[in-house]
């Protein structure tokens, strides 16, 4: 029986996460430019950030599940979870008052998991 999470899958996950964070960076720069140009409100920026999480997690799940032979939704969810965990790790380092069990953080977790799972089901 083949190992479910082999070295090839780990490398594939790293590539997918790098692509997802590249997409995240580009989209965040676009939001920053729109914020500068049009003086967007805080609600619009918050909605944009949630949309960026959705798009990036969905694409990470889509790309990562491509190499899976079965249970692609689980592989997509794993990609969404990995995306979220890296966001949390960076937030803990950058922001001193980061609370991992806050409503916002838990909501972000479910957004990333759900989007990654949807990407896996599409893939």
């Amino acid at each position: 029986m083949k190992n479910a999470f082999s070295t090839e899958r780990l490398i594939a996950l790293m590539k997918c996460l790098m692509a997802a964070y590249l997409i995240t960076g580009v989209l965040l720069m676009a939001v920053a430019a729109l914020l500068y140009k049009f003086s967007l409100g805080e609600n619009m920026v918050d909605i944009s950030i949630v949309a960026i999480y959705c798009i990036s997690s969905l694409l990470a799940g889509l790309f990562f599940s491509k190499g899976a032979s079965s249970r692609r939704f689980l592989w997509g969810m794993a990609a969404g979870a990995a995306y979220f965990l890296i966001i949390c790790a960076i937030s803990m380092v950058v922001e001193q008052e980061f609370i991992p069990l806050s409503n916002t953080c838990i909501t972000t977790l479910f957004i990333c998991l759900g989007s990654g799972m949807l990407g896996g089901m599409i893939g």
Side-chain angles (χ1 to χ4, degrees), residues 47-77:
I47 290 169
S48 300
I49 290 171
V50 170
I52 290 169
Y53 287 157
C54 286
I55 292 167
S56 297
S57 295
L58 183 123
L59 291 175
L62 177 73
F63 298 148
F64 188 51
S65 68
K66 287 286 185 189
S69 59
S70 64
R71 298 185 181 165
R72 290 185 174 169
F73 69 98
L74 290 176
W75 291 108
M77 191 183 289

Side-chain angles (χ1 to χ4, degrees), residues 87-96 98 100:
I87 288 174
C88 269
I90 292 170
S91 296
M92 284 181 194
V93 170
V94 172
E95 188 178 332
Q96 299 296 341
F98 178 73

Side-chain angles (χ1 to χ4, degrees), residues 72-116:
R72 290 185 174 169
F73 69 98
L74 290 176
W75 291 108
M77 191 183 289
Y83 180 83
F84 170 78
L85 289 174
I86 293 172
I87 288 174
C88 269
I90 292 170
S91 296
M92 284 181 194
V93 170
V94 172
E95 188 178 332
Q96 299 296 341
E97 290 110 25
F98 178 73
I99 302 169
L101 294 176
S102 67
N103 289 338
T104 305
C105 193
I106 292 170
T107 302
T108 303
L109 169 64
F110 286 123
I111 287 169
C112 292
L113 288 175
S115 297

Side-chain angles (χ1 to χ4, degrees), residues 15-33:
K15 287 180 182 178
C16 293
L17 289 175
M18 287 182 5
Y21 282 110
L22 180 66
I23 292 166
T24 299
V26 169
L27 291 175
L28 283 175
M29 284 193 285
V31 169

